Amino acid sequence: MNKIRVSITERVEAAKDVVRLKLRKADGENLPVFTPGSHIDVFLPNGLLRQYSLLNDCRELGAYEIAVSKAAASRGGSSCVHADLKEGGFIDISEPRNNFSLRIEHRKFQFVAGGIGITPILSMIRYCESQGWDWSLLYLARSRAHAAFQDELRAIGGTRVRWHFDDEAGKLFDFTDPSFAVQPGVPIYCCGPTPVMLAVEQYSNSQPNSPAYFEWFAPPAVARSNEVVDTVFRVKLHRSDKLLVVPESKSILDVLQENGYDLPCSCREGMCRTCETIVLDGVPDHRDYVLSNAEKESGRTMMVCVSRAHSDTLVLDI
Ligand code: FES
């Protein structure tokens, strides 16, 4: 993975427990272009690798902006950002990747953001504005103090932004409430905590004309853990003509790495698309959160960090 050295040129508190960082290339050159919904990998000083969405206007070539919420149960990522990434410091990042791109054929969008899930949505809203496209946003947060970018959203969106603060409402937002009605044909783009994503998924499933697209923070494993069964299968590596066995307890990626194959990977949870591998034969059992349904049905690629096989053998382009 190509690393880009950047300096942190600005650090501000964007809301309670949320910091916003502005990054510029250390050599003063422009950063690679990105599309709305993109994220970057950030190589943190404590050795962890984390993905954060870009929130700024994708037409801005000189800077990336990210915002990071300090997780109550941080596994070391957000706590390191809050403690160690200071204005004037330097870090390495990856080039932007996009698993959450706008389907521009729609030109009208319903956005749903939960908490820090506003970051990719903010970039999308800026892009919609630049194109003159229609949009509306439902923004959910624990409280006003936790909701970042309120002034910007009010200035850009006015009444197109609907706010829901759990503490003021005394409850979580109810997606079955008739006041939340998405026009048929309008896609929903959602990013937020797992309960919000699952509620939107359920809403979308009941409205076949309102497709939903998601950017997951973390795999919704708890909600789906009973649905998956792991079995043994084989992978044939086409380019090196090798046959490997993948036991129940290991991923394809584990087995490849044990056998000396240095495949790019990052999240190891089916969320970042880094380990995407071409499938030449066999039927993958997709368990990632990044491929669209159409991509899964085509079976042309798979995320080898989490996905397995429905067929006895998969032939991979490795
Ligand atoms: S390493 Fe992130 S999807 Fe496989």
Side-chain angles (χ1 to χ4, degrees), residues 253 264-276 290 303-306:
L253 182 61
C265 66
S266 173
C267 71
R268 304 184 83 101
E269 293 181 310
M271 300 194 322
C272 73
R273 212 166 180 145
T274 312
C275 68
E276 185 169 13
V290 288
M303 303 306 137
V304 292
C305 62
V306 289

Side-chain angles (χ1 to χ4, degrees), residues 285-305:
D285 175 6
H286 296 289
R287 298 186 185 180
D288 64 88
Y289 305 96
V290 288
L291 289 176
S292 66
N293 287 341
E295 287 172 317
K296 285 179 181 170
E297 272 161 34
S298 80
R300 285 199 202 101
T301 66
M302 68 187 294
M303 303 306 137
V304 292
C305 62

Side-chain angles (χ1 to χ4, degrees), residues 122 125-126 129 135 151-158 160-161:
L122 191 50
I125 285 173
R126 295 185 206 281
E129 284 293 283
W135 61 272
D151 291 346
E152 278 162 274
L153 285 166
R154 285 201 175 90
I156 301 171
R160 288 177 291 175
V161 183

Side-chain angles (χ1 to χ4, degrees), residues 10-317:
E10 224 177 282
R11 171 180 163 136
V12 292
E13 305 295 317
K16 186 173 166 48
D17 295 330
V18 177
V19 288
R20 175 180 186 163
L21 303 176
K22 189 165 226 175
L23 311 172
R24 292 185 187 277
K25 212 161 168 222
D27 62 10
E29 299 285 318
N30 282 340
L31 286 159
V33 292
F34 69 97
T35 49
S38 295
H39 68 273
I40 52 171
D41 294 330
V42 176
F43 297 84
L44 294 172
N46 62 3
L48 293 175
L49 184 61
R50 288 291 184 265
Q51 289 77 39
Y52 297 112
S53 297
L54 299 177
L55 64 93
N56 53 317
D57 190 329
C58 62
R59 293 169 300 168
E60 190 181 354
L61 296 177
Y64 293 158
E65 287 187 60
I66 59 173
V68 180
S69 173
K70 192 170 172 185
S74 172
R75 290 180 293 157
S78 65
S79 57
C80 177
V81 171
H82 279 249
D84 299 331
L85 299 193
K86 310 277 192 225
E87 197 168 306
F90 291 87
I91 46 168
D92 289 326
I93 62 170
S94 70
E95 292 192 351
R97 294 193 303 279
N98 198 336
N99 302 326
F100 191 43
S101 51
L102 282 174
R103 270 70 169 175
I104 59 172
E105 65 273 17
H106 291 296
R107 300 184 179 214
K108 186 166 189 179
F109 304 91
Q110 171 68 55
F111 298 115
V112 178
I116 198 64
I118 189 63
T119 49
I121 303 287
L122 191 50
S123 178
M124 289 175 162
I125 285 173
R126 295 185 206 281
Y127 189 71
C128 286
E129 284 293 283
S130 74
Q131 302 300 307
W133 294 342
D134 202 359
W135 61 272
S136 53
L137 166 68
L138 170 63
Y139 187 4
L140 317 170
R142 273 187 284 162
S143 70
R144 275 176 205 273
H146 288 92
F149 315 116
Q150 291 181 51
D151 291 346
E152 278 162 274
L153 285 166
R154 285 201 175 90
I156 301 171
T159 55
R160 288 177 291 175
V161 183
R162 178 176 177 181
W163 308 86
H164 174 93
F165 303 113
D166 298 342
D167 62 342
E168 293 175 22
K171 58 179 183 178
L172 301 178
F173 186 79
D174 179 3
F175 283 90
T176 63
D177 190 294
S179 68
F180 181 74
V182 180
Q183 250 179 290
V186 174
I188 305 170
Y189 280 74
C190 177
C191 183
T194 299
V196 172
M197 308 277 260
L198 293 177
V200 170
E201 191 173 54
Q202 203 171 9
Y203 174 87
S204 167
N205 288 342
S206 68
Q207 313 280 327
N209 290 324
S210 297
Y213 304 99
F214 300 95
E215 177 86 319
W216 294 93
F217 284 171
V222 175
R224 293 178 179 170
S225 59
N226 294 332
E227 298 174 15
V228 294
V229 177
D230 294 344
T231 53
V232 181
F233 59 96
R234 296 176 301 179
V235 284
K236 184 158 191 262
L237 309 183
H238 177 70
R239 281 186 257 162
S240 43
D241 196 25
K242 210 164 180 183
L243 190 65
L244 301 174
V245 175
V246 182
E248 297 99 323
S249 57
K250 289 183 181 169
S251 68
I252 300 175
L253 182 61
D254 291 335
V255 173
L256 288 169
Q257 289 181 331
E258 280 171 13
N259 283 273
Y261 291 87
D262 186 20
L263 229 66
C265 66
S266 173
C267 71
R268 304 184 83 101
E269 293 181 310
M271 300 194 322
C272 73
R273 212 166 180 145
T274 312
C275 68
E276 185 169 13
T277 301
I278 293 174
V279 180
L280 298 172
D281 201 9
V283 184
D285 175 6
H286 296 289
R287 298 186 185 180
D288 64 88
Y289 305 96
V290 288
L291 289 176
S292 66
N293 287 341
E295 287 172 317
K296 285 179 181 170
E297 272 161 34
S298 80
R300 285 199 202 101
T301 66
M302 68 187 294
M303 303 306 137
V304 292
C305 62
V306 289
S307 296
R308 303 186 67 83
H310 284 308
S311 50
D312 291 342
T313 306
L314 289 173
V315 183
L316 302 179
D317 189 19

